[in-house]
Amino acid sequence: MYKTVTVPLPGREYDILIGPGTLARLGEWTREHARAKRAVVITETNINPLYGEQALLAMAEGGAEAVSMSFPAGEVSKNLDTIGALLKAMFHLEPAIDRGTAVVGLGGGVATDMAGFVAAICLRGLRWIACPTSLLAAVDASVGGKTGVDHEQGKNLIGAFHQPSGVIIDVNTLRSLDRRELGNGLAECVKHAVIRDPVMLDELANGAADLQTVDEAGHLAFDAERMTELVARNVAIKAAVVAEDEKESGLRAILNFGHTVGHGVEALIGYDVIRHGEAVSLGMVAANRISVQRGLLDSATADRVEEVLGKLALPIRKGNLNFDAVWRIMQHDKKARDGRVRFVLARDLGDVAIYDDVTKDEVRAAVEYVSQP
Ligand SMILES: NC(=O)c1ccc[n+]([C@@H]2O[C@H](COP(=O)([O-])OP(=O)(O)OC[C@H]3O[C@@H](n4cnc5c(N)ncnc54)[C@H](O)[C@@H]3O)[C@@H](O)[C@H]2O)c1
Ligand SMILES: [Zn+2]
């Protein structure tokens, strides 16, 4: 029932293990993939009580010595102060850590981004293993080697590329996500479907009910095999794009589909109010509207994407969006080049391209379309 996806980076190839119960292999992977007998597990206060013990047990069973450290959950912790505190705790460990000590990031994208960054800078680089527990971290943050923290001036402004030695995704850990966090990851899945995998769009539509079913205890009751397959497909798409363009000089930018307007909406409404995936959902609707207006995409296809987003309980309209405010934020986005905001536009399902000539009026029309009741 397990699936393995290899991220084919020359010289730094690594495997991603996906399936129900894969966390039990953490110790074995720490020894074999990170070539370490000792590890520091970095996690956060929501995840530690849920999966911390399981992770340490798996370490012991796999013959790796491990300690865990947890920081307060949430994006507010994703900063250099927390990194400083984690490093301090690591340097106080007895016996002292060395280059043979591995780091494990256990949690959502915040924990994996931070653990990866600690690994990148501690003793000039330790090997690390990512164990993403949110769907967003599984299908997006854990693939590609971007690590880092936020700064007062903006999100993810400080960081390093540091590929993990392996990634373990235990789909059973995703069962404790709430529906909104699930949707957060599903939006990135829809994005991957639009940029590279039209068949997956149908599968998301067909599987929408199963993926979101909740049992009496409030846990997601999805079919483990379906989730394993879904995560594997998404990881493979992101891995393929990243392998072709590791440092984001060109192609990797297609992963920003839906993110241009999405980031604007997210910053305008507030990160604490709207989830990233919800903003990206609106951003994808807006981008497709630009495509339709340009005659690049037929409107039936754009409608189909909206229908699938709706089935996944993602927003496709958001009243009262102030276009001027969204536009202003888009201008400051670090993905803007030469003062122009680039757009990834779909020409068909599975076929997107980067356009530098999208006008303010086109963006206005698209944002107004999304803002209609
Ligand atoms: N490195 C990359 O390429 C990349 C890509 C996308 C996003 N990111 C980063 O990822 C972060 C967002 O990731 P996220 O949405 O996972 O945020 P997160 O880590 O804050 O997790 C979201 C919430 O879900 C909780 N959670 C996580 N797993 C859970 C589980 N199994 N059960 C119950 N609760 C769980 C967390 O405690 C948190 O409250 C952002 O900081 C973003 O910048 C990085
Ligand atoms: Zn995203």
Side-chain angles (χ1 to χ4, degrees):
M1 232 189 177
Y2 289 2
K3 282 192 178 281
T4 307
V5 175
T6 302
V7 185
L9 290 168
R12 276 157 310 134
E13 197 173 273
Y14 64 92
D15 288 341
I16 302 178
L17 180 69
I18 309 146
T22 51
L23 195 56
R25 308 266 300 266
L26 181 58
E28 174 199 328
W29 272 53
T30 299
R31 279 195 300 100
E32 289 173 10
H33 293 248
R35 304 196 303 282
K37 291 198 194 76
R38 188 177 178 205
V40 176
V41 177
I42 296 181
T43 187
E44 38 96 322
T45 47
N46 289 346
I47 298 305
N48 197 36
L50 293 172
Y51 308 112
E53 209 169 305
Q54 216 175 308
L56 290 181
L57 192 67
M59 283 291 193
E61 282 173 352
E65 193 191 311
V67 291
S68 76
M69 297 178 177
S70 93
F71 61 85
E75 190 78 29
V76 286
S77 287
K78 198 176 150 183
N79 56 46
L80 287 177
D81 290 344
T82 312
I83 295 293
L86 289 167
L87 288 170
K88 186 171 178 184
M90 285 171 73
F91 293 137
H92 276 89
L93 289 174
E94 299 270 355
I97 57 163
D98 58 25
R99 300 282 299 273
T101 306
V103 173
V104 172
L106 174 70
V110 168
T112 56
D113 274 17
M114 295 230 291
F117 188 53
V118 165
I121 62 176
C122 185
L123 303 178
R124 294 201 181 81
L126 301 178
R127 287 185 288 275
W128 75 290
I129 303 249
C131 296
T133 63
S134 71
L135 184 61
L136 181 90
V139 301
D140 193 349
S142 72
V143 191
K146 281 191 190 175
T147 72
V149 295
D150 303 332
H151 186 269
E152 278 162 25
Q153 292 300 109
K155 284 189 69 177
N156 297 320
L157 290 182
I158 301 160
F161 282 97
H162 187 47
Q163 301 292 344
S165 301
V167 179
I168 291 181
I169 303 172
D170 185 338
V171 297
N172 281 341
T173 64
L174 305 177
R175 296 192 187 281
S176 51
L177 289 171
D178 67 32
R179 292 269 296 267
R180 259 186 112 185
E181 294 301 342
L182 177 80
N184 209 17
L186 289 173
E188 303 288 356
C189 296
V190 172
K191 177 190 81 178
H192 288 150
V194 173
I195 65 177
R196 282 278 167 107
D197 190 349
V199 175
M200 185 165 67
L201 196 72
D202 292 333
E203 285 171 5
L204 282 163
N206 296 336
D210 172 64
L211 289 168
Q212 297 173 88
T213 304
V214 175
D215 66 17
E216 295 114 48
H219 287 123
L220 293 169
F222 53 74
D223 174 62
E225 207 164 328
R226 188 194 290 268
M227 185 58 94
T228 300
E229 171 64 29
L230 179 69
V231 172
R233 260 176 118 128
N234 281 281
V235 160
I237 292 169
K238 178 143 188 207
V241 174
V242 165
E244 286 167 60
D245 176 24
E246 188 187 356
K247 298 282 167 72
E248 198 163 359
S249 48
L251 178 77
R252 191 164 173 168
I254 68 171
L255 295 168
N256 291 326
F257 175 66
H259 284 59
T260 315
V261 168
H263 281 150
V265 169
E266 194 177 14
L268 177 68
I269 298 179
Y271 295 100
D272 42 349
V273 180
I274 190 167
R275 298 297 298 146
H276 174 73
E278 294 165 354
V280 169
S281 178
L282 296 166
M284 291 192 283
V285 172
N288 280 350
R289 207 35 52 181
I290 295 173
S291 287
V292 169
Q293 286 303 316
R294 288 190 158 207
L296 293 172
L297 184 70
D298 66 70
S299 61
T301 306
D303 291 347
R304 170 70 176 153
V305 173
E306 287 189 23
E307 185 196 350
V308 177
L309 290 168
K311 282 191 173 175
L312 297 170
L314 287 160
I316 50 177
R317 297 288 182 276
K318 179 85 196 163
N320 299 321
L321 279 178
N322 178 331
F323 167 72
D324 291 313
V326 174
W327 179 255
R328 246 191 327 273
I329 296 162
M330 282 168 51
Q331 299 295 299
H332 288 112
D333 196 298
K334 72 177 182 324
K335 284 167 186 98
R337 283 200 184 171
D338 311 325
R340 284 178 302 185
V341 179
R342 332 178 82 193
F343 260 89
V344 181
L345 297 179
R347 302 186 286 212
D348 196 354
L349 293 177
D351 177 20
V352 296
I354 296 161
Y355 290 81
D356 280 318
D357 61 344
V358 177
T359 66
K360 186 174 178 180
D361 284 341
E362 286 180 286
V363 182
R364 185 195 303 276
V367 171
E368 281 170 1
Y369 172 84
V370 172
S371 311
Q372 73 190 351

